[in-house]
Amino acid sequence: MPVKGEVPWPCEEHTGAKHDIYRRYLERWFPILLAGSNAYPSVTYAEGFSGPGIYSGGELGSPVIAIQALTSKVRPEKGIARFVFVDDDQRCVEILERTLLKVFPSRPRPKAAMPVKIVKGTCSPNLEAALDEVGAWGQPIFANLDSWGNAPVPHKFLRRLAANVSSEVIVTLFPQHFVRFVENSGPAADDVFGGDPHWRTVTDLAPEAKSRHILTCYRAALRAAGFPYLLDFELIPRRGQPLYLVFGTRHRLGVSKMKDSLWEVDRTQGVGFRDPRDEQAETLFNIDEPQLGPLTRLLEQRLRDKKREVVEHLRDFALFETVYRPEHVIRALKPLVDRGVLAVEGGGAIRRTAFVSLVSATAR
Ligand SMILES: C[S@@+](CC[C@H](N)C(=O)[O-])C[C@H]1O[C@@H](n2cnc3c(N)ncnc32)[C@H](O)[C@@H]1O
């Protein structure tokens, strides 16, 4: 849907944090895929909802950030990097063209090494068609699907993307959109969730459970599309609505690099993030000194479910199922030891190879 108000629009707090995450991740993604030891001849960065590339305060938008990530980290002679930008608002398309010319007055790479395609039209079907046209398939694609949060992207497209070599997706989601419009949503909304209408049971849930339900259904849809590793997190501005980003990849390295990017985000922007699965919904604002309370709770729940786990598996759990890093796990287990609720088999310190379990209340 074209933008309702003026183009460009002001850059909100969480947009700055989101851009920081994109930039930090792409500054890793381009060099690994174009200049690493297993480099590919070409890659494609694609956006289905590109926006105008600039905000009313002069802040740069995601298309520019992506090109800067490439040119700042990869030498021009290394491989081909294609860029595909789709937006259905004519004003966004025109401003994006002008912005790219202004930010890059001379081409940072020859045209053949950095073709850029800008399309005016809806993400579906134009993004897939543009990827066909530029010959992106068969080489890695990073798809940034940054809609207004309704993610109008056919599941078929996500399945094709997941089946494509080393391809990844990041989707912006506003669960409130689905909560608000559930009654008026037709089959296209079910298709967002892989054709499964289960998301509609959101109407039966308590208000505080609704967002998590939508997110859980969306994770299931991305997994069903073929992305086994998912990372989702909630960006919390001091004012305004939280925003959810869901990242899908088929590679452990992708999750680990995205997690690093998330934890390095500039905290001074006043945006915190939160693990959507934390029952107490504690926001992590101060990342210099990570607040591990939510992870301690998640690990305790995990041990309740699994009874006994080796710490190495809990590290994987943290990496793949929470916003935390594996290196936070041992520190997050310590309060459980102090409370006398965690037993380390064989005694001694908590090591990666140690088995741990919860001590039953009767044994304490
Ligand atoms: C959140 S903005 C994108 C911001 C941009 N990714 C950035 O970070 O700088 C969403 C954009 O999607 C466009 N849009 C909305 N619905 C669309 C659709 N179905 N297909 C393509 N573009 C759409 C809007 O015109 C708007 O420019």
Side-chain angles (χ1 to χ4, degrees):
M1 215 203 306
V3 182
K4 282 203 192 91
E6 284 187 11
V7 179
W9 54 88
C11 186
E12 289 183 33
E13 259 187 354
H14 54 39
T15 305
K18 180 178 74 176
H19 286 164
D20 207 3
I21 294 170
Y22 293 160
R23 182 175 59 76
R24 289 172 194 275
Y25 186 71
L26 292 170
E27 283 180 358
R28 295 169 157 106
W29 189 80
F30 282 114
I32 291 173
L33 291 165
L34 280 178
S37 47
N38 295 314
Y40 289 88
S42 71
V43 300
T44 302
Y45 172 87
E47 291 208 36
F49 310 86
S50 67
I54 192 155
Y55 288 78
S56 54
E59 302 88 346
L60 297 171
S62 52
V64 178
I65 290 167
I67 296 177
Q68 287 176 333
L70 166 80
T71 56
S72 65
K73 295 288 169 186
V74 183
R75 291 207 310 273
E77 66 277 14
K78 287 274 182 194
I80 298 170
R82 302 179 200 86
F83 289 87
V84 173
F85 301 119
V86 176
D87 199 289
D88 70 351
D89 188 315
Q90 182 65 32
R91 295 168 298 169
C92 288
V93 166
E94 285 170 10
I95 296 174
L96 177 58
E97 283 165 351
R98 285 206 300 274
T99 304
L100 291 182
L101 287 173
K102 197 167 164 198
V103 179
F104 306 103
S106 56
R107 281 195 146 270
R109 284 177 149 229
K111 193 169 182 183
M114 199 186 93
V116 178
K117 186 172 179 65
I118 302 178
V119 178
K120 192 255 160 203
T122 47
C123 173
S124 170
N126 292 287
L127 181 59
E128 187 169 0
L131 290 170
D132 288 340
E133 220 170 284
V134 299
W137 302 100
Q139 296 286 302
I141 298 173
F142 184 93
N144 183 349
L145 303 174
D146 183 28
S147 67
W148 297 122
N150 51 340
V153 180
H155 200 248
K156 195 163 136 285
F157 173 72
L158 294 175
R159 292 199 298 273
R160 187 173 179 196
L161 199 60
N164 193 56
V165 63
S166 291
S167 295
E168 301 183 333
V169 66
I170 190 158
V171 184
T172 305
L173 217 58
F174 270 118
Q176 279 312 315
H177 168 88
F178 295 95
V179 173
R180 212 174 308 141
F181 297 115
V182 58
E183 308 290 356
N184 309 326
S185 303
D190 292 341
D191 189 42
V192 169
F193 296 93
D196 185 345
H198 179 58
W199 70 276
R200 293 176 184 273
T201 60
V202 71
T203 45
D204 309 331
L205 300 175
E208 64 278 10
K210 288 181 189 290
S211 287
R212 184 148 13 137
H213 174 72
I214 294 295
L215 205 56
T216 304
C217 291
Y218 197 74
R219 276 177 70 98
L222 269 194
R223 191 167 277 133
F227 293 105
Y229 298 122
L230 302 171
L231 176 60
D232 55 325
F233 43 92
E234 202 178 346
L235 294 175
I236 320 279
R238 298 207 190 260
R239 290 177 306 279
Q241 289 281 322
L243 170 143
Y244 293 79
L245 293 181
V246 189
F247 169 70
T249 176
R250 281 177 28 212
H251 301 278
R252 285 176 69 104
L253 183 64
V255 188
S256 157
K257 296 291 174 196
M258 183 55 86
K259 189 71 70 84
D260 291 346
S261 310
L262 178 64
W263 279 87
E264 286 168 13
V265 160
D266 183 0
R267 294 299 121 195
T268 56
Q269 305 191 33
V271 174
F273 64 86
R274 188 151 77 186
D275 192 307
R277 283 152 297 269
D278 177 30
E279 299 283 343
Q280 295 185 23
E282 187 177 339
T283 302
L284 316 177
F285 272 105
N286 183 358
I287 297 307
D288 297 338
E289 200 39 67
Q291 292 161 43
L292 300 179
L295 180 59
T296 302
R297 288 192 285 277
L298 291 164
L299 291 169
E300 195 172 355
Q301 184 55 50
R302 176 77 177 179
L303 286 168
R304 223 172 273 134
D305 298 340
K306 293 276 170 186
K307 311 294 180 225
R308 174 181 184 262
E309 276 276 49
V310 64
V311 172
E312 197 59 63
H313 285 177
L314 293 176
R315 287 167 52 89
D316 276 355
F317 166 75
L319 176 62
F320 296 121
E321 308 283 340
T322 78
V323 297
Y324 288 92
R325 285 167 139 169
E327 44 276 40
H328 292 139
V329 165
I330 290 181
R331 259 192 296 156
L333 287 173
K334 289 232 168 82
L336 299 179
V337 176
D338 297 344
R339 272 168 41 210
V341 296
L342 187 88
V344 183
E345 278 180 30
I350 309 171
R351 296 205 174 79
R352 287 166 69 155
T353 50
F355 277 87
V356 290
S357 55
L358 292 182
V359 179
S360 68
T362 46
R364 268 184 262 146

